[in-house]
Amino acid sequence: MGTVELLTAAGVGSGAEVIVPSYATAEAAEAVRAAGALPVFADIDPRTFCLDPAAVTTALTSRTAAIVPVPLFGHPVDHTGLRAVAREHGLLVIEQAEIEQDDAAHDTTRTAHAARQANAAYLDARLTGVLTPVVAPGVEHRYRSYVVRVPGNGRPDRDAFARALRARGVRCRVPVQTPVHRTPAFRRELWLAETERAADECLALPVDAGMTRRELQRVVSACNTLGGLLPVAA
């Protein structure tokens, strides 16, 4: 069953609140709304980009009925932390399946996963011009997207960096253009500090299973050269 059906089957509907991430696609929030409940946005862990259990706790009210976390970029959600919050407060946890958006979306074999992980390890060891992904202990990152942070003073630096990479023949994209709570359909007047920072700083670099070592080195060379030109935030 999908998220809407699972929420409905559990009796989560009108008058209930369901906590979802804003740094993601709108699918989780749309599912909550389709079930008749109200999506409530909580902040993310800055390392994993997934819902932060501490932020979820802060967002709880007497009407909270469920949590819908979303794994992002191939990094799993914090199952242990979120389920601990759910047990303590009698909540349902329904994990939203991740929507694969990158060029490797159809590489679903173990071989392709291993190739992306190897490519990510290559980039991890050599990139100095950006902040590379952080993997939580004891979990497997599948690197559906290789998302880095561009240090600096916010969106203009990241966007200028992206334009310069593309000019050098390196494919890249902003993985979450606008947090869901700032879109017209779900606009809320709230400040989610880590969500806002990720939206300003993050950039997805190519890590496709079929990339050659030469292509990976082009990414490294371009990022390291450009990274040295941007001010690093304290």
Side-chain angles (χ1 to χ4, degrees), residues 1-12 27 31-32 34-35 92 94 96:
M1 288 193 294
T3 303
V4 178
E5 292 77 16
L6 289 170
L7 288 169
T8 301
V12 178
E27 186 179 12
V32 171
L92 179 69
I94 298 175
Q96 174 77 56

Side-chain angles (χ1 to χ4, degrees), residues 33-156:
R33 183 175 282 178
L38 177 69
V40 173
F41 300 103
D43 213 351
I44 56 170
D45 183 315
R47 299 162 300 176
T48 68
F49 302 112
C50 300
L51 272 179
D52 180 359
V56 169
T57 299
T58 300
L60 294 176
T61 74
S62 60
R63 295 183 296 278
T64 305
I67 307 167
V68 180
V70 180
L72 210 58
F73 312 140
H75 194 295
V77 303
D78 182 354
H79 295 282
T80 301
L82 291 172
R83 292 193 182 281
V85 173
R87 282 194 302 271
E88 181 178 353
H89 298 277
L91 307 175
L92 179 69
V93 177
I94 298 175
E95 184 174 329
Q96 174 77 56
E98 181 174 4
I99 303 298
E100 299 186 11
Q101 299 179 11
D102 59 10
D103 292 335
H106 301 295
D107 291 339
T108 57
T109 66
R110 182 170 295 276
T111 299
H113 287 154
R116 292 205 300 273
Q117 289 166 337
N119 290 345
Y122 182 92
L123 296 178
D124 285 347
R126 291 164 177 81
L127 285 171
T128 60
V130 294
L131 304 179
T132 55
V134 177
V135 183
V139 303
E140 180 187 26
H141 198 318
R142 292 196 169 191
Y143 293 102
R144 292 192 176 103
S145 295
Y146 185 86
V147 176
V148 301
R149 290 181 184 266
V150 178
N153 298 317
R155 186 180 301 278

